[in-house]
Structures are given as C-alpha cells and as structure tokens.
Amino acid sequence: MDVYINSTGHFLPGEPVSNDQMEDVLGLIDGKKSRLKNKILKSNGIKQRHYAINDNQQTEISNSEMAANAGQSCIENSYVSPNQIQMLSCATSQGDLVLPGFGSMVQAQLNLSEIELHTSHGICSSSMMALKAAYTNIKCDDVDNALVVASELTSRLFKNKRYEQVENNEVDFNAEFLRWMLSDGAGAVLLENKPRPTGKSLRIDWIKSFSFADVYPVCMSVGMEKNEQADKTWQDYETYADAEKAGALLLRQDVRLLDNIVSVGVQGFLKLIAQGRVKTDNIDHVLCHFSSKYFKSKIFEMLETAGASVPDEKWYTNLYERGNTGCASIFIMLDEFLKTHDVKPGETIFCMVPESGRFNVAYMHLTVEG
C-alpha cells in the first residue's frame, strides 16, 4: 500500500516581526536591551518571524486555533471534505493545556467527528513522529486518509516577566538563547492511500529516525533549573511559584552540547546511504530543518568530508523569512516549497529534521507523482 501527501497548508500568526521589533513584543528584561540578541541573530541568520502574542504580550490566537487554521487550509487544498477525514495526528512541544492531549483540542477546533486520534509530544521531530503514525496507519490499511498537523506557540515562554521572576535575576545564556531562535506557526499535510485525481502528489517512500537519548544528556528542556539533570523537576518544588523563582520553568538550551546535533544528523544520513535507502546523486531537493545558518555550514563541511555532499542549489529553506517554528517548520517549509517550485514527476525530495532535545533525527524520502 503506497501512501501519498496530497495536500499541504500552513498558518502564521500576525504580521512578520523584524529583528528590531522583537523586544517590542517580548519585552525588555528588567528594562534593559539584551546584550546577546544581536550575536545570536547574526549566527542564526533569521531576519523575521511571527508571534501569536501582541505588543501587550496578550495571546491573540491559541496554539490549537493555529493548528486548526493550518489543518483547514490543508483540507481546502484537497479533494477530501472534513467529514471524510479518518485520522487526526497532531504534534507540539507545548499545548495550550497540560492535559488533555493536544490532538483532542485540535479535533474540537476542526469539528472532526469519529476519527482516530493521535498526539505526538516532543520538540522539533515530534511532527515527523506524528507523520509516521499516520503513515503506518494508512500503510496497514487501517484508515484511508489522515490529517497531520504540527503547531508551536513558544512566544508565551519568552515574555520578559518570565525571566524577571527568577531569584536574583540570574538569567544565564542557556536560558536566553532560544528567545532569539524560536517563534510561532503551524503546518499541516494530508495523507491518502491514493494519489490526487489531478495535480501532483508526493509518494512517501520511507520515514526513518534515529534517537541518541541513551548517549547524550538533555540539551533542550523546560522543567529543570540551571545545571540540573532531571533529578529535580518543576513538579518537585513546593509550589509552582517556587519552581519559577528557581528558573525551572524557563526554556533552556545547553549550548555546550549543541554541536552534537550536526554530527548525529550526518551520522544518520550516512547510515541511510549505507543501508541503500538514499543515493546522494538521486536527490533533487533537500528540505532540512536546520535551526541556524551556523549549523547549515557545519552540515555542509561534514558531508563534504564524508564524501556525501549534496549541491547547495538543491537545498531549500524558509528559515530566514518564517523563523524557526520547531516541529511545525518542516510542514510549513514543505507547503511553501511546493507552492513556489514547479516540481516534476519522478523528482525526489529528501527531508531531514534534527532535534536537539535529547538528540533525535528524523528523515523522509518523497517522490513526485502526477
């Protein structure tokens, strides 16, 4: 049973926010401009992004509403009506509520009835986990179609007040780093067990991921204070206010470990080549969710050293204009790529989603049909 991506869609909240406008939205921590901001933005290369919060730091649209908007856009681009959807598979790093699962909230927003539901919780690669769950359900003939939606609303974590609650105002580099990296948005794809009646479809040849959580410590997290390693989590404090004062509710990135994301990503790619799943000469387009211009150059260096280079002109990204939207990035990227490129039948698309949470890398190979 072949499985096809027959439609895509995305949603980005509000107007684009330039680098100069970021602190107008997120706020100045203790009334001071950041000393790290320009350094981090120069490294990641991002020029603009979208936020679901306004200048008063009020939420304009919820995470589940953004997801539903992306899903609706995807359905409208397809030949499937909402009442024909058989499965909804959703991903996010943080839903609007801790419980219930994000998928339940998105299903209600989309008003989909009698569907099979799946929620994938994680960071960047959780969208690929949600996609694979849908793919395998269709592959084993359990459902005929599945809507897969990934959405992120991280800006709520970056309000200046979050940082100002930390005792002694100890905002370290690892806690501030992601404030200048991540933003909001949602993307969706529709999978079916047959190609579109008209237009182009993407046949999913395979999806494969490699996790290295047994090898590396936590690199990106919410729930631990500085220098902790999960021995004491945010739920172990007397009150949530105590956890906030300790900095355990800040989104952190251990930048000392971050370069490992490049090596595990390239290792996985070389393993796929050794397994015969992919041949570099046969790749027509590469869609890679690298989070920073810095990492793209590192990836190119390692691939060249390994003799597995893919020419630069085959790589597509919208990171610099759309921002890093975590797990939603790959779907937003795929949607914009298909709407701006005249892909031909037989061409191949290689997708790669590295995640630095505790190091997981997901890959997907697509072939254009129609």
Side-chain angles (χ1 to χ4, degrees):
M1 173 81 68
D2 286 332
V3 181
Y4 301 87
I5 295 175
N6 282 346
S7 182
T8 57
H10 79 266
F11 176 83
L12 294 166
E15 296 296 318
V17 175
S18 70
N19 291 352
D20 290 340
Q21 296 170 312
M22 291 178 80
E23 286 180 306
D24 295 338
V25 180
L26 302 178
L28 298 173
I29 300 173
D30 295 320
K32 301 174 185 173
K33 286 188 174 294
S34 169
R35 291 184 297 176
L36 298 174
K37 175 189 157 191
N38 290 337
K39 178 182 178 183
I40 295 169
L41 289 171
K42 184 178 179 182
S43 177
N44 65 34
I46 298 172
K47 304 296 184 191
Q48 60 183 35
R49 75 286 296 146
H50 293 253
Y51 291 133
I53 61 173
N54 60 26
D55 289 359
N56 295 318
Q57 302 186 338
Q58 296 170 328
T59 303
E60 293 278 331
I61 182 170
S62 72
N63 200 5
S64 57
E65 288 172 324
M66 287 200 300
N69 286 349
Q72 187 62 41
S73 168
C74 185
I75 293 171
E76 289 171 357
N77 291 331
S78 78
Y79 286 88
V80 177
S81 61
N83 61 8
Q84 293 175 308
I85 301 291
Q86 297 180 10
M87 180 180 181
L88 176 65
S89 186
C90 295
T92 189
S93 62
Q94 49 160 10
D96 301 300
L97 303 177
V98 177
L99 296 172
F102 186 58
S104 299
M105 306 304 289
V106 179
Q107 179 190 351
Q109 288 286 346
L110 283 167
N111 196 27
L112 300 177
S113 300
E114 297 183 15
I115 58 164
E116 178 153 354
L117 184 63
H118 172 79
T119 295
S120 172
H121 175 66
I123 314 181
C124 298
S125 64
S126 62
S127 52
M128 295 296 284
M129 298 174 190
L131 180 61
K132 185 153 187 179
Y135 166 74
T136 51
N137 258 26
I138 296 175
K139 197 82 175 167
C140 70
D141 206 17
D142 209 35
V143 295
D144 296 331
N145 62 56
L147 179 65
V148 187
V149 186
S151 185
E152 297 282 21
L153 203 170
T154 54
S155 61
R156 290 185 292 205
L157 288 172
F158 300 139
K159 298 175 185 179
N160 60 324
K161 296 292 184 188
R162 307 279 188 214
Y163 298 86
E164 291 169 359
Q165 303 309 307
V166 179
E167 215 153 35
N168 302 322
N169 293 329
E170 289 186 359
V171 180
D172 54 287
F173 183 89
N174 288 351
E176 191 180 340
F177 178 75
L178 291 167
R179 199 176 193 227
W180 314 119
M181 297 286 285
L182 299 175
S183 53
D184 307 330
V189 297
L190 177 70
L191 273 53
E192 292 183 84
N193 60 0
K194 57 187 178 186
R196 287 175 65 102
T198 62
K200 297 186 178 72
S201 298
L202 303 178
R203 188 186 69 232
I204 301 177
D205 300 315
W206 50 260
I207 302 171
K208 182 67 181 172
S209 66
F210 300 107
S211 174
F212 300 84
D214 61 320
V215 178
Y216 296 101
V218 173
C219 181
M220 178 178 170
S221 66
V222 177
M224 300 185 299
E225 65 175 286
K226 183 181 177 183
N227 299 326
E228 285 286 345
Q229 274 299 325
D231 293 331
K232 184 176 183 180
T233 75
W234 65 284
Q235 297 181 86
D236 299 316
Y237 290 84
E238 290 294 324
T239 66
Y240 297 143
D242 286 344
E244 190 169 30
K245 286 178 187 174
L249 299 184
L250 295 179
L251 178 57
R252 293 180 180 280
Q253 180 90 73
D254 189 338
V255 294
R256 296 168 305 173
L257 299 170
L258 205 47
D259 276 352
N260 291 307
I261 195 63
V262 177
S263 59
V264 298
V266 172
Q267 281 175 36
F269 182 56
L270 297 178
K271 188 180 290 187
L272 293 170
I273 293 174
Q275 291 175 350
R277 288 177 181 263
V278 61
K279 294 180 179 177
T280 54
D281 290 343
N282 294 341
I283 296 175
D284 294 303
H285 309 280
V286 178
L287 274 61
C288 178
H289 168 57
F290 52 82
S291 60
S292 167
K293 183 174 64 177
Y294 168 82
F295 287 120
K296 182 184 178 185
S297 63
K298 292 291 182 185
I299 292 170
F300 272 57
E301 287 173 14
M302 289 193 72
L303 288 177
E304 187 170 356
T305 302
S309 296
V310 178
D312 189 28
E313 60 269 21
K314 293 187 176 183
W315 291 64
Y316 170 83
T317 183
N318 57 3
L319 171 71
Y320 312 123
E321 296 78 27
R322 304 302 180 201
N324 180 352
T325 51
C327 73
S329 288
I330 191 66
F331 293 167
I332 297 173
M333 195 187 313
L334 184 60
D335 183 45
E336 290 204 330
F337 172 76
L338 293 173
K339 288 172 180 170
T340 55
H341 290 69
D342 184 22
V343 293
K344 307 294 184 188
E347 290 185 351
T348 62
I349 302 171
F350 181 75
C351 301
M352 176 176 170
V353 182
E355 173 185 309
S356 63
R358 201 156 183 167
F359 299 100
N360 184 53
V361 190
Y363 309 84
M364 174 168 66
H365 194 277
L366 307 169
T367 300
V368 181
E369 290 196 5

